[in-house]
Each structure stands twice: as structure tokens, then as C-alpha cells.
Amino acid sequence: MMRVGTGFDAHRFDESRELVLAGLHWPNEPGLDGHSDGDAVLHAIVDALLSAAGLGDIGSNFGTDDEKFLGASSTVFLSETLKLLATQKFAVSNVAVNLIGERPRFSSRRDEAEQHLSNLVGAPVSVSATTTDGMGFTGRGEGIAVYATALITAAA
């Protein structure tokens, strides 16, 4: 049995924070506002995986009302989500991510990000990036948005 889930996340930039995106640190770029580290790529992946498994979303599993997640690395949400999937006998087949924003310029680190995310997820993760040609909050450089799609299968 195969199941597909989608996830979305968006965060505004926060000049007072360091950027963590796709599990990587991005020097000389503004960070993302958020209760945790604000890694919108990992947040969208978590939502896609939870959606595919019918296990709610990032907010219902790792809500901002829980102080233990204040400033947390988003890798915590991913590892806990993978444990939840395993208990339900699901395995990740692959994840596709689409990053939307004017910055950072993602292409120079795409291979690194895909390898890192694939290692974290334990399955292939592909990342594409685009801009909105100056339209909307992403086009004005106010933040980024991320869509993710995950394919999971019932584990044997």
C-alpha cells in the first residue's frame, strides 16, 4: 500500500537569527522566525510525512505551546515523526521539496542539501527551488515558502 502526503510551511525572515534551512546553516543570510529554528524545509517535510500516514500535522504533534520545542532544531521533529511512522509500520519511499523565495540562492548547495536530507529521512529527497519573480511576500524577499510531497509505503 502506498500513501501520499503534502506539507507546506512559510516563515518570514528575522535578521536577528541565523538561517537554518534544509538542515544546513547558511552563513551571512537572515534567519527564519519561528518557535523552533524555523527550518521551513524540514517543517514541510514533517507535515508531508504526517499527512501521508494520517497522523495529523506538525502543530498537533509538536505545538508551539510546548516550551521544550522553543529554539529546538527541526531535526528533532523529523526524527520523532520517523519514529511515529515506524510504529504505524510505514516506511518512507521518497520526498520531493519545492522551495520558493528570492534568497538564499539554493542551487550552489542543492546537492549538499539533498544528500543531508536523504540521510536524515532514510530515503531519497529531491529539492527544487524557484522564485516568484517579485510577486508576493516571497518575491519581496520577506520570507520563504516550502511545499513538500512524501510517498510512504506500508512496511513489510
Side-chain angles (χ1 to χ4, degrees):
M1 173 178 63
M2 294 185 288
R3 296 179 68 162
V4 174
T6 59
F8 172 80
D9 199 38
H11 286 270
R12 72 176 59 101
F13 286 118
D14 180 344
E15 297 285 341
S16 70
R17 299 182 76 172
E18 293 182 16
L19 181 60
V20 178
L21 192 61
L24 304 175
H25 288 276
W26 297 75
N28 306 314
E29 292 286 348
L32 295 169
D33 187 30
H35 185 71
S36 65
D37 62 9
D39 189 333
V41 169
L42 284 178
H43 294 180
I45 291 171
V46 166
D47 266 342
L49 292 169
L50 291 169
S51 170
L55 296 172
D57 56 34
I58 196 168
S60 63
N61 284 278
F62 313 105
T64 58
D65 56 339
D66 192 335
E67 289 300 312
K68 75 179 176 186
F69 299 123
L70 181 62
S73 168
S74 294
T75 57
V76 170
F77 307 139
L78 180 59
S79 64
E80 290 301 313
T81 296
L82 293 170
K83 289 177 190 174
L84 287 171
L85 265 65
T87 64
Q88 298 298 310
K89 307 279 193 253
F90 287 113
V92 181
S93 293
N94 75 299
V95 178
V97 176
N98 184 245
L99 172 68
I100 305 155
E102 299 296 318
R103 60 191 296 196
R105 290 291 185 204
F106 202 80
S107 61
S108 66
R109 297 188 72 188
R110 179 187 326 276
D111 291 343
E112 179 186 7
E114 289 179 340
Q115 183 63 53
H116 182 65
L117 292 168
S118 296
N119 289 340
L120 290 174
V121 171
V125 177
S126 61
V127 182
S128 62
T130 191
T131 68
T132 56
D133 294 325
M135 298 182 297
F137 84 95
T138 60
R140 291 188 300 270
E142 297 170 9
I144 62 167
V146 181
Y147 289 94
T149 304
L151 176 65
I152 63 173
T153 56

